[in-house]
Amino acid sequence: MARLIEVADRMQIERLVLFMGAPFLIAPTPEQFREQNDQVLQAISHWHHRAFGFVYLNPEYEKESLQELDRCVKDGPMTGIKLWVAKRCDSASVDAIVRRAIELKAIIYQHTWLKTTGNLDGESTPADLHALASRHPEASIICGHTGGNWELGIRTIRDLPHVSVDLGGGDPTAGLVEMAVRELGASRVLYGSDVAGRSFASQLGKVTAAEITPEEKQMILGQNLRRLMSPILQAKGVRL
Amino acid sequence: MIIDVNVSLSRWPNRRLPLDETSKLAAALKQNGVSQAWAGTFDGLLHNDLAAANKWLVDQCRSVDEKLLLPIGAINLSLPAWEEDVRRCHELHGMKGVRLLPSYHDYTLEDPRFRQFLSLLAEKHMLLQIAVRLEDPRTQHRLLMTKDVDLKPLLTLLSDFPHLPVILLNAVSSSAVELHGQLAAAGKVYFDIATLEGLAGLERQIQSLPFERLLFGSHSPFFAFDSAKLKLQESELPAQSREQITYLNAVKILEELC
């Protein structure tokens, strides 16, 4: 964690949102996701002024996921949920998690990709996310990686104002940020690094080089996340 | 001072890019401290009349800033009489090097024509760029799907061309770390940083490749230029090594061609 903060400092990145531990587990058992969340809790324990944690869950285990959500968010310091590739998010089994997240004012980060080369069995597409988000207009949802194939991802979730996009996790392709801002508005666009799979630099460059206003860049680089997290931070008595 | 060895002009086949006008790209490069950019052309991907594409490239470079944009012609070894395109790049246009795009031209580096091509470049004292990938296969258009170039056949050829500079563009994101080290040891093989990733990626990269074989490349305008430049900020590097990557290694390649 200290190394992560050291490199973040070089890039003037003030705060990090962490989720998942090591090794990568695409379908963790309850015991495994608890262990991974413990890794994150440990990592942020001395860095509350620099880092937030999102709880990693597996919707295949609905009851255990809800218990873990309460352990880490309701009774712990975490502020959001990370859903990865264990189960496609249009599944009804995700609904209970989303409903509980709404009660806790927690943000939901759902990994999405629409791979030309083919998705994993449990990997959600932006269309899957659209189906889920349409059922829960009160939820605060992030479309992870803007769906990978971002021109399609942006179009897919465009009509859902409670869904934001995360810019991280793909190549630093020029034009992504401009399209996202044009189609969604800057308030729905979030900087994400996907470090350490990616680098702070390559993903930051997407925003700094984009042909948008300085004010829009500030929104993407921090103001939007601050706004999205305000309800749960206020509920927890945390002031930024 | 920066020499960017991985720039392309013209249009990406299925998307307009913010900097796909030559004058706009040139202005952005200058603004970012680039003193020279080695520019290929996206027309090389799918055009069959590469003589025209390369002539257009040269004209564009000259029209904007001859000192800024160094044209790197496209060669397609699957076309008839590709040798004539090499000759024109060298003799007619005075190019320092050419770029291969094997993924888009449907051949591998095992192809006998590739060895012939290396011999020709060595005779002419030109540098070679091989675009190992241009786009992540996961985001490619379904009708334009390509795979990364398999570099293993290159390893067995390098000993016959010890003085030929071979620059592998967009290669370092692949998992072939061991092969890259072998390639760097076997010949004058260089790698650009456009697709380098990971936390403080350059600090990690120099554990498997020497500074002398790393070059600054942005893959602009397909990639945001800042992404490459900010990598220099994310890693702590000795000043000398930073200068080698950003321009000294590239200068040396050009000097040794003469």
Side-chain angles (χ1 to χ4, degrees):
Chain A
M1 186 66 185
R3 170 67 172 161
L4 200 56
I5 295 290
E6 176 194 343
V7 179
D9 283 343
R10 293 178 195 163
M11 309 307 292
Q12 289 85 52
I13 291 174
E14 296 172 18
R15 284 187 168 81
L16 306 172
V17 174
L18 299 184
F19 35 70
M20 299 170 63
F24 278 170
L25 296 170
I26 62 172
T29 63
E31 183 181 11
Q32 288 170 326
F33 62 63
R34 284 181 206 120
E35 184 185 337
Q36 296 232 330
N37 292 323
D38 283 342
Q39 290 180 37
V40 174
L41 288 167
Q42 173 64 28
I44 65 175
S45 61
H46 299 293
W47 298 95
H48 286 301
H49 58 302
R50 297 295 302 272
F52 301 104
F54 280 17
V55 60
Y56 181 32
L57 304 175
N58 179 351
E60 286 284 8
Y61 302 95
E62 183 181 314
K63 178 184 162 194
E64 292 87 348
S65 287
L66 290 171
Q67 289 171 343
E68 183 69 349
L69 178 52
D70 277 356
R71 179 177 81 98
C72 295
V73 175
K74 175 175 164 282
D75 303 322
M78 292 192 178
T79 53
I81 295 166
K82 167 66 187 284
L83 297 173
W84 196 30
V85 294
K87 193 171 186 66
R88 290 173 64 167
C89 68
D90 63 341
S91 163
S93 66
V94 182
D95 287 330
I97 293 173
V98 175
R99 282 193 293 270
R100 185 67 178 135
I102 293 168
E103 291 169 4
L104 297 173
K105 306 182 193 304
I107 296 172
I108 299 156
Y109 181 105
Q110 172 65 61
H111 165 101
T112 64
W113 257 91
L114 185 58
K115 294 172 179 164
T116 309
T117 49
N119 277 22
L120 299 169
D121 286 345
E123 189 167 27
S124 300
T125 65
D128 295 330
L129 183 69
H130 188 279
L132 175 73
S134 297
R135 296 198 294 268
H136 302 282
E138 295 171 22
S140 181
I141 300 175
I142 298 172
C143 176
H145 317 303
T146 319
N149 254 311
W150 44 270
E151 287 155 317
L152 305 179
I154 290 168
R155 293 173 67 95
T156 303
I157 57 89
R158 180 167 45 194
D159 66 336
L160 298 174
H162 60 300
V163 176
S164 301
V165 293
D166 148 51
L167 299 173
D171 279 345
T173 314
L176 155 63
V177 176
E178 288 89 338
M179 182 183 176
V181 169
R182 184 186 77 226
E183 295 297 326
L184 308 176
S187 64
R188 290 172 63 190
V189 184
L190 305 168
Y191 166 70
S193 69
D194 211 16
V195 88
R198 295 281 175 173
S199 62
F200 289 123
S202 70
Q203 309 301 298
L204 201 54
K206 293 175 180 176
V207 183
T208 60
E211 295 182 354
I212 56 176
T213 68
E215 292 76 20
E216 288 167 333
K217 290 180 183 178
Q218 288 306 310
M219 293 168 73
I220 293 168
L221 291 173
Q223 291 172 3
N224 291 337
L225 185 63
R226 179 189 291 259
R227 185 192 74 246
L228 291 177
M229 289 184 67
S230 288
I232 190 165
L233 292 178
Q234 285 174 9
K236 287 176 175 289
V238 176
R239 295 185 63 185
L240 287 181
Chain B
M1 182 173 173
I2 294 173
I3 294 180
D4 186 341
V5 304
N6 186 3
V7 164
S8 299
L9 306 187
S10 195
R11 302 280 192 270
W12 183 249
N14 61 312
R15 179 183 301 138
R16 286 303 304 265
L17 302 168
L19 297 179
D20 65 10
E21 297 284 352
T22 306
S23 58
K24 204 172 170 186
L25 175 63
L29 291 170
K30 281 183 181 175
Q31 191 179 1
N32 279 292
V34 174
S35 55
Q36 187 178 72
W38 300 2
T41 170
F42 287 138
D43 292 344
L45 274 64
L46 301 175
H47 288 213
N48 282 334
D49 184 0
L50 288 185
N54 289 330
K55 171 71 164 55
W56 178 88
L57 172 66
V58 170
D59 290 344
Q60 285 289 298
C61 292
R62 287 179 181 158
S63 71
V64 173
D65 187 336
E66 209 168 357
K67 289 182 179 171
L68 177 70
L69 297 176
L70 190 75
I72 303 291
I75 302 296
N76 180 350
L77 301 184
S78 65
L79 289 176
W82 54 266
E83 297 92 335
E84 175 62 11
D85 286 324
V86 178
R87 187 194 70 78
R88 291 188 194 186
C89 286
H90 183 244
E91 295 178 16
L92 199 61
H93 303 311
M95 289 181 183
K96 301 287 187 186
V98 290
R99 187 177 293 179
L100 293 184
L101 306 148
S103 300
Y104 287 84
H105 296 160
D106 201 24
Y107 63 87
T108 71
L109 302 190
E110 286 180 305
D111 194 305
R113 290 170 295 189
F114 181 60
R115 174 183 274 280
Q116 295 168 23
F117 170 72
L118 295 180
S119 297
L120 193 56
L121 287 195
E123 281 175 29
K124 294 179 181 299
H125 301 287
M126 298 177 81
L127 67 85
L128 167 62
Q129 293 191 330
I130 302 175
V132 175
R133 72 160 49 175
L134 289 175
E135 183 179 16
D136 183 339
R138 298 174 300 172
T139 60
Q140 292 172 359
H141 192 288
R142 287 194 185 281
L143 301 180
L144 284 172
M145 291 176 71
T146 64
K147 293 180 179 172
D148 293 356
V149 176
D150 179 5
L151 296 170
K152 284 194 286 293
L154 180 61
L155 191 57
T156 59
L157 296 169
L158 287 169
S159 60
D160 292 338
F161 306 97
H163 304 298
L164 176 68
V166 180
I167 302 166
L168 302 176
L169 302 177
N170 308 325
V172 294
S173 69
S174 68
S175 56
V177 175
E178 187 180 346
L179 176 62
H180 293 167
Q182 292 170 340
L183 288 166
K188 288 180 68 176
V189 177
Y190 300 82
F191 299 80
D192 85 312
I193 66 168
T195 50
L196 176 67
E197 290 288 357
L199 185 70
L202 269 171
E203 292 177 26
R204 183 176 42 82
Q205 191 63 45
I206 59 169
Q207 293 170 17
S208 57
L209 287 172
F211 279 120
E212 295 78 10
R213 298 308 176 86
L214 290 171
L215 301 168
F216 183 91
S218 69
H219 194 18
S220 293
F222 187 75
F223 281 0
F225 179 89
D226 288 11
S227 292
K229 193 172 181 182
L230 287 168
K231 289 171 190 170
L232 301 169
Q233 181 179 328
E234 183 165 330
S235 288
E236 274 195 346
L237 303 171
Q240 173 67 16
S241 305
R242 185 178 298 270
E243 289 181 350
Q244 282 181 268
I245 295 170
T246 50
Y247 71 97
L248 286 176
N249 292 338
V251 168
K252 190 176 177 191
I253 291 171
L254 293 180
E255 286 175 350
E256 289 179 353
L257 288 175
C258 303

